[in-house]
Amino acid sequence: MASSASDAGHSEKDLRQKLVETGAVDVMVSIGTKFFYTRSLPCTLWFYDRAKESDAKRADKTLMLDLRDVYRKVSSNLHDFTPEQLNNIQSIVGLYRGEKSVFNKTVEGYFTTINEHLTELTAKAQDLVSDYRSAILPTLETALPKLWLNKWNETIDQDDISFTEQVAEELVKTRLIYNEKTLVTLDKTVLDHLKKAKRGYNNFLKAINSFVKEAGKEDDLRKNKDWKINVLDKLKKMGTDFSVYSQSIDQILYFNKEANWLLSRFPNGDYADIAGLCKVVSKEEIAQNDYSLTAGRYVGVAPQIDEDFDYEERMAEIKVELQSLNEEAISFAEQIQLNLNELGL
């Protein structure tokens, strides 16, 4: 229903009062805007459970769930829920009802997915390092004159590849263990390392592809069989492997974030009221609020700082973007001035 129906007065209030007094109102979910193609207004989902009416303890309880800040942006005009967000929501409702099966299945699924990508990640990391150390680098050292080798050593940032070497060595045995008593996701140190490894190897690939393109012109190395097999073909393979490597990192970061979202709020797999998200209220509390069934009226306000958001990294990205835009603006300004001069203006 439209959100106004859960909070309006007069006859709507009387209707809500009668519904609440039956004890059948089980869960009230507030949904944000843009979840419909033809309407951008927020709405409220009403869930009833007639079985509650005969259970005095359950009949007095209603779960208020405020999901206005939980969504995936499909476009500027449309939002929806990801499958993982839906799993997390279902887990919360299950915990409220005293059922942990959905919660356990969801967390176990996240851990399994993360572990699968960790296995794929470390395998690709080993390939990426090996292809460079065992094939490309020895060929560069034998095929290129010292001047070009010095240029390469000045071009490459060793940290760009060392991060991936560390991934291959240190994360090969890292796996999340599903244990109902101790549920822990990957820590920030590991996540930061993965981000640096992805960013670093991407920089490394750009640098080496650019270098090989220029160096290949030396004595027309592109016609050299060893150069083709050990450098050009390996670089193509490394590009493909890096795509898988990068996607594995993205998936690990994504599923770890979803797992952490759920576990940071319900670390022991037990329901708890969470400010800004959910609260179990009684009939008396609803009555004191004019029988309003708007979740936001009960759950309160969550802290505004997103601890999972890497502000420092984002600011660094914005700085680079700004520099690029400034350089582009200067280039456009110079071109415009040149065009005006040619027109005699």
Side-chain angles (χ1 to χ4, degrees):
M1 292 187 182
S3 294
S4 58
S6 62
D7 206 39
H10 306 295
S11 59
E12 286 91 345
K13 174 187 173 182
D14 296 336
L15 178 59
R16 291 197 306 272
Q17 179 177 350
K18 291 178 181 178
L19 288 171
V20 170
E21 289 175 348
T22 65
V25 181
D26 190 27
V27 183
M28 296 296 298
V29 183
S30 291
I31 305 294
T33 60
K34 302 180 182 179
F35 269 76
F36 300 95
Y37 288 104
T38 57
R39 294 288 184 273
S40 62
L41 297 174
C43 70
T44 302
L45 304 181
W46 303 47
F47 293 88
Y48 303 99
D49 183 358
R50 296 299 302 272
K52 281 181 60 187
E53 298 177 23
S54 58
D55 186 330
K57 185 176 180 180
R58 290 189 62 217
D60 190 47
K61 303 296 182 183
T62 298
L63 174 63
M64 297 292 176
L65 197 53
D66 189 350
L67 301 178
R68 289 175 296 174
D69 293 330
V70 178
Y71 60 87
R72 171 177 59 182
K73 185 175 181 180
V74 179
S75 69
S76 59
N77 299 316
L78 184 64
H79 294 169
D80 70 0
F81 291 124
T82 65
E84 291 70 38
Q85 288 171 335
L86 288 173
N87 288 338
N88 289 344
I89 294 167
Q90 292 172 347
S91 297
I92 296 172
V93 175
L95 294 179
Y96 150 71
R97 291 172 176 167
E99 303 167 359
K100 294 185 66 172
S101 58
V102 176
F103 177 88
N104 290 336
K105 182 179 179 181
T106 297
V107 175
E108 187 174 12
Y110 290 153
F111 281 19
T112 299
T113 301
I114 291 171
N115 288 339
E116 289 173 351
H117 284 292
L118 280 170
T119 299
E120 186 174 50
L121 171 75
T122 51
K124 288 302 177 185
Q126 291 169 357
D127 288 345
L128 288 169
V129 173
S130 176
D131 284 343
Y132 172 66
R133 299 291 190 201
S134 304
I136 294 180
L137 185 57
T139 304
L140 293 180
E141 291 173 341
T142 56
L144 295 177
K146 188 175 181 179
L147 181 65
W148 277 97
L149 287 176
N150 291 338
K151 185 178 180 181
W152 171 239
N153 291 328
E154 293 171 359
T155 302
I156 185 177
D157 184 343
Q158 292 296 336
D159 285 343
D160 286 343
I161 193 168
S162 66
F163 285 129
T164 293
E165 285 183 306
Q166 291 168 18
V167 166
E169 295 169 1
E170 298 174 9
L171 296 185
V172 68
K173 294 183 179 180
T174 299
R175 296 295 182 271
L176 295 180
I177 300 175
Y178 180 75
N179 184 325
E180 291 187 26
K181 295 182 179 179
T182 307
L183 297 171
V184 181
T185 56
L186 296 174
D187 62 37
K188 190 175 184 299
T189 302
V190 174
L191 300 180
D192 288 344
H193 189 96
L194 290 176
K195 293 175 185 177
K196 291 178 181 177
K198 175 185 173 181
R199 187 165 55 246
Y201 208 89
N202 185 49
N203 293 336
F204 169 76
L205 275 182
K206 289 179 179 179
I208 195 170
N209 273 290
S210 177
F211 175 80
V212 166
K213 183 178 180 180
E214 291 298 318
K217 298 174 183 178
E218 182 78 13
D219 295 329
D220 205 8
L221 286 171
R222 289 168 294 184
K223 296 181 180 179
N224 184 292
K225 184 177 179 181
D226 288 340
W227 183 265
K228 181 180 182 304
I229 294 174
N230 293 323
V231 177
L232 300 182
D233 290 351
K234 286 295 183 182
L235 280 177
K236 289 181 182 179
K237 177 178 179 295
M238 286 166 64
T240 302
D241 287 345
F242 177 73
S243 179
V244 176
Y245 178 72
S246 176
Q247 289 173 11
S248 293
I249 291 177
D250 290 342
Q251 290 297 301
I252 290 170
L253 296 175
Y254 173 75
F255 281 98
N256 195 78
K257 181 179 180 181
E258 292 300 322
N260 190 63
W261 186 94
L262 188 60
L263 292 174
S264 64
R265 291 161 174 78
F266 310 97
N268 299 316
D270 297 318
Y271 176 82
D273 292 339
I274 305 296
L277 177 63
C278 59
K279 184 178 181 181
V280 175
V281 298
S282 64
K283 290 181 181 179
E284 181 181 356
E285 189 172 355
I286 295 175
Q288 291 173 354
N289 285 275
D290 294 326
Y291 288 97
S292 170
L293 292 176
T294 300
R297 192 163 182 172
Y298 299 93
V299 303
V301 180
Q304 295 301 305
I305 297 178
D306 185 354
E307 296 179 356
D308 293 330
F309 187 81
D310 194 333
Y311 291 94
E312 187 175 326
E313 179 183 354
R314 182 55 187 146
M315 287 303 296
E317 292 173 352
I318 292 174
K319 181 179 178 181
V320 173
E321 292 170 7
L322 179 60
Q323 182 179 357
S324 176
L325 290 171
N326 286 336
E327 292 172 353
E328 189 175 2
I330 293 172
S331 176
F332 285 148
E334 292 175 347
Q335 185 62 49
I336 291 171
Q337 187 61 50
L338 181 62
N339 293 342
L340 290 174
N341 291 340
E342 291 177 352
L343 292 172
L345 300 175

